[in-house]
Amino acid sequence: MGHPHVPTPQVKVMTTNKVPTKTENWADKSASVIEKALDWIIGSMMFVMCAVIAWQIFSRYVLKDMSSWSEEVARFLMVWISLLGSAAVLRRSGHVTVTIFLDHISSKLKRRVLIIRDLLMLATLLCITYYGWEFAQINAVQLSAAMDIPMSWVYASLWLGMGLCVVILLLIRLGSQPDWTSGSIDEHP
């Protein structure tokens, strides 16, 4: 007796090289403006982070005097880059998505599943945004170890990044291409 064919799960890795082509309505245009601003901000942060890390390496190995602030700046910038980057790639299908279930259901059921997914995602993002704000306010009196800046500046990345995800998610659903799982993808078996 042969074994029934079990389909191999497909993992679709979303790439960020293709922005949705239709930018017809105000939601698409607003999302594009936010994405371009985030790209510029994140790019600037990455440049500063690389410069700070280069300075840290130079000061440690050439000057034999490790700077106390550079590691902290690099770490804080990495946190900001990660959380803002989450919002920056949402519309461009930049997050990894496993679609084996969606690939095998009818378009009517798929639409319902995507709506439920977006509602759950929205609820989660709103929760993280709210509690991220609360956490940043609670820790406003705590100062960072090396630079003595309020930790609320670092923790603000959580509520701001997730808040931007909320805005982008809403703009996606109001835009001309509300199903962001159908963006530019590369399939890997």
Side-chain angles (χ1 to χ4, degrees):
M1 227 182 205
H3 296 286
H5 176 65
V6 178
T8 305
Q10 298 288 318
V11 176
K12 295 183 179 182
V13 178
M14 306 301 189
T15 59
T16 59
N17 60 353
K18 183 179 177 187
V19 177
T21 55
K22 290 184 180 179
T23 53
E24 298 173 358
N25 66 16
W26 66 271
D28 292 320
K29 290 177 184 175
S30 299
S32 290
V33 168
I34 293 170
E35 286 175 349
K36 287 176 185 171
L38 285 173
D39 288 345
W40 187 85
I41 291 167
I42 292 167
S44 299
M45 287 178 166
M46 290 180 78
F47 177 79
V48 170
M49 186 177 70
C50 289
V52 166
I53 291 171
W55 169 253
Q56 181 180 15
I57 293 168
F58 178 78
S59 67
R60 177 181 289 171
Y61 294 108
V62 176
L63 301 178
K64 305 291 186 207
D65 184 28
M66 191 173 104
S67 62
S68 61
W69 56 270
S70 57
E71 183 180 346
E72 194 169 88
V73 169
R75 196 171 357 143
F76 293 165
L77 283 172
M78 184 58 123
V79 170
W80 273 93
I81 289 166
S82 299
L83 292 168
L84 291 179
S86 183
V89 301
L90 185 61
R91 185 168 154 256
R92 290 181 278 186
S93 303
H95 293 280
V96 174
T97 304
V98 179
T99 61
I100 189 167
F101 176 68
L102 291 175
D103 292 342
H104 294 92
I105 60 175
S106 69
S107 60
K108 186 177 181 179
L109 184 57
K110 181 179 179 180
R111 186 177 191 289
R112 290 179 182 159
V113 168
L114 292 175
I115 289 170
I116 292 168
R117 177 215 52 202
D118 283 356
L119 290 173
L120 290 171
M121 190 170 157
L122 185 62
T124 302
L125 290 170
L126 286 170
C127 185
I128 294 171
T129 301
Y130 174 77
Y131 287 108
W133 171 264
E134 292 290 318
F135 188 71
Q137 297 305 310
I138 289 169
N139 289 292
V141 295
Q142 180 185 1
L143 300 177
S144 68
M147 297 185 307
D148 287 333
I149 61 169
M151 288 301 290
S152 61
W153 286 65
V154 179
Y155 297 137
S157 62
L158 182 61
W159 65 263
L160 188 60
M162 297 303 102
L164 284 168
C165 282
V166 168
V167 171
I168 295 291
L169 180 61
L170 292 174
L171 291 173
I172 289 169
R173 293 317 261 171
L174 296 171
S176 61
Q177 291 185 341
D179 176 15
W180 53 269
T181 62
S182 65
S184 173
I185 54 174
D186 294 325
E187 293 185 21
H188 299 284

